[in-house]
DNA sequence: CTGAATCCGGCATGATACTG
DNA sequence: CAGTATCATGCCGGATTCAG
């Protein structure tokens, strides 16, 4: 009975499209894989180098999840050592827009979030004090 | 040494703004909290009801994370049973745009992803078969 | 009312070794 | 080359209980 485990969010349990999508792009390497494949086709090993830092196992999981959602096309070439090519589908290309918008926002407001964090952490360090000591 | 644990992604370990943001909005209830607070202020209990399904603990964590990132403003009113109000900051309001774009895409292409999954899962069920058995 | 403290299961990520 | 198998780890999300 298909030993496929459920890693990298393989389920459909969810009914909210937004959460569903976020489960996908929220997983650690998904966006970087999509970026790496933007406008080009890569083989498995090339992807492994392009993403850099991802473990083989997790890369496979990420690719499977993307393929399952129709965002990625996996092509096997029956050469002697088998070669496999990965490419984004038109569906994924359409996702690129909103994703880029989000990425742009993240880069633009990075500084705001960092300073907000510093302020928050600093405040947490002095629980009950109004005047700054010395 | 500050017993603050690290749940709901409190760290800054990351250097990529995009992944950083995705860690935030990727956590299970964040987007729903943001939606619930869109254009209005809510108290803790009101939020608890508005989001519906979130546990108290996780809601607190989610709110803390948002506050830490400067996306949420937390106001304590020293009434007899203390009341606390939560409201989005202008920063979060700006995030609303890209977020809505992503949500729209998710809703628009939900059907594509669902059918892609069905096809994928169906294919996985019959590993080495070309003709569909009656 | 608004949390904090504690305990727990489950799953994603990762390291390592093996294979067609 | 492109994975699979196995083991280990961390931590998110949830339930429950206590407190200011």
């Amino acid at each position: 009975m298909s030993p496929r485990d459920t890693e990298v969010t393989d389920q459909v349990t969810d009914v909210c499209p937004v959460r569903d999508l976020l489960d996908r792009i929220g997983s650690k390497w998904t966006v970087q894989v999509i970026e790496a494949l933007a406008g080009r086709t890569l083989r498995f090993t090339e992807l492994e180098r392009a993403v850099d830092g991802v473990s083989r196992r997790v890369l496979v999981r990420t690719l499977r999840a993307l393929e399952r959602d129709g965002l990625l096309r996996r092509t096997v070439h029956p050469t002697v050592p088998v070669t496999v090519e990965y490419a984004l589908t038109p569906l994924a290309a359409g996702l690129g827009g909103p994703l880029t918008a989000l990425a742009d926002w993240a880069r633009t407001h990075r500084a705001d979030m960092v300073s907000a964090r510093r302020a928050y952490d600093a405040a947490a360090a002095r629980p009950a004090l109004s005047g700054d000591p010395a």
Side-chain angles (χ1 to χ4, degrees), chain A:
Chain A
M1 47 290 262
S2 69
R4 307 166 65 258
D5 59 39
T6 62
E7 287 183 285
V8 185
T9 319
D10 251 3
Q11 340 238 47
V12 228
T13 346
D14 210 84
V15 273
C16 172
V18 183
R19 263 252 50 80
D20 210 33
L21 176 62
L22 285 174
D23 282 341
R24 218 58 40 170
I25 66 177
S27 79
K28 195 169 180 181
W29 303 96
T30 301
V31 173
Q32 291 182 58
V33 167
I34 293 178
E35 280 175 1
L37 287 174
R40 61 175 175 174
T41 295
L42 291 181
R43 310 224 323 246
F44 185 84
T45 308
E46 293 173 327
L47 260 174
E48 210 172 359
R49 279 193 298 266
V51 175
D52 184 70
V54 67
S55 75
R56 186 160 300 179
R57 197 183 106 101
V58 172
L59 178 57
V60 173
R61 297 295 189 190
T62 304
L63 293 171
R64 291 287 183 277
L66 284 171
E67 186 192 0
R68 189 171 104 105
D69 283 351
L71 296 171
L72 189 69
R73 187 171 44 88
R74 177 174 175 270
T75 312
V76 181
H77 299 281
T79 56
V80 177
V82 49
T83 61
V84 181
E85 285 187 335
Y86 291 94
L88 296 181
T89 63
L91 186 62
L95 176 58
L99 213 50
T100 300
L102 201 71
D104 286 344
W105 188 93
R107 279 185 279 266
T108 303
H109 300 281
R110 172 180 175 66
D112 301 273
M113 297 187 57
V114 171
S115 66
R117 283 184 195 174
R118 271 214 294 258
Y120 183 91
D121 292 346
R126 40 175 166 66
L129 210 46
S130 45
D132 208 46

